[in-house]
Amino acid sequence: MDFEIRPDEFHALLEEVTGRSLTSAAAPRGDQVESTEREVARERYVSDAQVSHGALRESVTTDLSSAHLGLGIAVVVSALAGLSTPAASAFVAGAFAVLFLAALVVVFLRGIRGLDAGRRAYRFAFGWAQWL
C-alpha cells in the first residue's frame, strides 16, 4: 500500500518547497489565449502536475520493512537513553508513541478505519528509517 496525498495537499507542499504557486504560474489565463490554445496549455499543465505528483509520491512512499527498522531503532535508542535514567527512556518511548497516536488520529479523521489505518500511521511514524 502506498502513502496517499491529495492533489490540494501536493500543491500546498510544492508551493511551500519551491516558493511558487502552480496555479498562478502554470495555469493559463482565460482571456489571454484562444480556446484551443487554452485547452492545450491546460492539458500540458495537468500532465506536468501529474508527473510532479507521481515523483513526490514515489519519494515519500515507505513500506512496512522500513517501518519495522524504524521501530527497532526507536526501541534501541529508548533502551540506550534508559542507561542514564529511566525517565529518559520513558521520554523517548513516549515521544514516538505520541507521534504514532497523532498519525493515527489524522488517519481516522480522513475516514480510514481498521488495520489499514494502523498500517498507515505505523508507516508514517516509523517509516523514516528508509532514509538512513
Side-chain angles (χ1 to χ4, degrees):
M1 296 183 176
D2 291 331
F3 179 78
E4 294 181 23
I5 186 169
R6 294 190 322 258
D8 57 332
E9 293 172 336
F10 165 72
H11 290 291
L13 180 63
L14 188 62
E15 183 174 347
E16 181 180 320
V17 171
T18 63
R20 61 181 190 158
S21 173
L22 281 178
T23 54
S24 64
R29 289 263 200 240
D31 57 348
Q32 294 177 346
V33 289
E34 294 295 322
S35 174
T36 56
E37 292 173 350
R38 197 174 334 135
E39 291 173 10
V40 169
R42 183 70 183 164
E43 288 174 8
R44 188 181 69 240
Y45 165 73
V46 169
S47 173
D48 291 346
Q50 288 173 341
V51 168
S52 296
H53 185 194
L56 179 65
R57 178 180 288 218
E58 185 178 328
S59 70
V60 297
T61 300
T62 184
D63 56 359
L64 280 177
S65 61
S66 296
H68 292 331
L69 179 61
L71 177 62
I73 292 170
V75 168
V76 169
V77 167
S78 179
L80 290 175
L83 294 177
S84 63
T85 63
S89 177
F91 179 76
V92 171
F96 281 108
V98 166
L99 176 63
F100 173 76
L101 290 175
L104 191 60
V105 166
V106 169
V107 169
F108 276 141
L109 290 176
R110 289 188 65 203
I112 301 166
R113 301 285 188 262
L115 287 176
D116 190 36
R119 281 190 195 106
R120 288 181 186 210
Y122 179 71
R123 286 190 335 227
F124 176 81
F126 299 106
W128 48 263
Q130 76 177 0
W131 293 293
L132 297 179

